[in-house]
Amino acid sequence: IKSTIKCSDFTKYYKNTDSYYAKFYDNKGNPLKNTNVKIKLNGKKYTIKTNYKGLAGLAVDLKPGKYNIVPINIKTSESITKTVTIKSLIETNDLMFNETDIGKFNVKIFNSNGKISPYTKVTVKVDGKTFTIKTNKKGIATLNLDLNYGKYKIITEYSGLKSANKIIVNRIIKTTSYMHTTLIPNYVNVTLPYVYAGSAYSLKAGANGIVKM
């Protein structure tokens, strides 16, 4: 049995003005012209009249995410479920770095046509502070982070959108070398028990009776 609905999945960037289209047919395979059909999107049903080609279009104005869209042919009672994907204008990633380093948090910005957006201002919030940064010619803005050890939430805001990421700053344990020397008269080349800082060691005296740790 041939389907009476012709449709596909749909992907666009946030604020893009492209509409979703489905084509409808009658049971004989003829385009369903100037006829009311329904399209269900994000829990709402819309009644739309097809054009002379049997096409029905629905404007899609949603936040970034994935949604089910269901064209419904009222004449044949057929329905098909497809996916609408709205892509964000903000591209970011979680970041991890050491507390002795400067972390670089990058933000890539796109326009509604999916092209990079150069020289665009972006707002970034982290550790109770707000920063305004600007994208370069490649559409990338960078915020240098000098943070103490710990975990942080960083929020990027642009064109009514918000993107949240995690920042992890690793602790660095500093170590120093230490030499402890003990002179034991009359003990040459002898292995002795030794306790230092709560730890037990077996140390051997040298030819001059000196034990080093």
Side-chain angles (χ1 to χ4, degrees):
I1 299 174
K2 194 172 182 179
S3 176
T4 59
I5 302 173
K6 186 177 181 180
C7 58
S8 59
D9 295 332
F10 180 66
T11 300
K12 73 171 188 174
Y13 278 82
Y14 177 64
K15 285 192 174 180
N16 184 284
T17 57
D18 288 349
S19 296
Y20 179 84
Y21 286 93
K23 190 168 185 178
F24 296 82
Y25 301 86
D26 60 23
N27 285 320
K28 295 180 180 180
N30 300 310
L32 208 58
K33 303 176 182 180
N34 304 314
T35 304
N36 284 338
V37 294
K38 291 185 181 295
I39 297 180
K40 184 178 179 181
L41 174 64
N42 198 29
K44 297 181 180 179
K45 278 187 179 181
Y46 302 87
T47 299
I48 304 164
K49 193 173 186 177
T50 60
N51 64 11
Y52 71 99
K53 292 182 179 180
L55 283 171
L58 177 67
V60 178
D61 185 16
L62 296 169
K63 294 285 187 180
K66 290 184 180 291
Y67 305 85
N68 286 334
I69 189 165
V70 186
I72 304 168
N73 191 328
I74 300 174
K75 294 294 183 180
T76 64
S77 300
E78 182 184 2
S79 64
I80 298 178
T81 300
K82 294 293 181 179
T83 301
V84 167
T85 302
I86 309 298
K87 301 183 74 173
S88 179
L89 307 181
I90 304 171
E91 184 179 289
T92 54
N93 293 292
D94 295 339
L95 179 65
M96 179 185 294
F97 61 96
N98 296 330
E99 63 180 341
T100 54
D101 299 330
I102 297 297
K104 292 185 178 296
F105 182 73
N106 293 321
V107 180
K108 193 170 186 178
I109 298 298
F110 299 88
N111 62 26
S112 60
N113 293 318
K115 305 295 184 182
I116 60 171
S117 185
Y119 314 117
T120 301
K121 290 183 179 181
V122 183
T123 300
V124 179
K125 297 179 180 179
V126 61
D127 196 28
K129 298 177 182 178
T130 300
F131 304 90
T132 298
I133 55 179
K134 195 174 185 179
T135 60
N136 59 19
K137 64 180 180 180
K138 295 182 179 180
I140 298 173
T142 300
L143 177 64
N144 292 329
L145 297 172
D146 185 9
L147 298 170
N148 296 322
Y149 159 78
K151 296 181 179 180
Y152 301 83
K153 184 177 182 180
I154 188 166
I155 304 294
T156 305
E157 298 180 355
Y158 172 71
S159 192
L161 297 177
K162 290 185 179 182
S163 176
N165 290 94
K166 295 178 182 178
I167 303 291
I168 298 177
V169 183
N170 297 319
R171 172 171 285 168
I172 299 298
I173 300 175
K174 298 180 180 179
T175 59
T176 56
S177 58
Y178 176 79
M179 177 67 75
H180 182 70
T181 302
T182 303
L183 175 63
I184 306 177
N186 302 321
Y187 282 88
V188 179
N189 296 322
V190 176
T191 299
L192 303 169
Y194 190 77
V195 177
Y196 175 73
S199 298
Y201 304 88
S202 292
L203 305 177
K204 187 175 183 178
N208 54 6
I210 295 178
V211 176
K212 293 182 179 182
M213 183 183 76

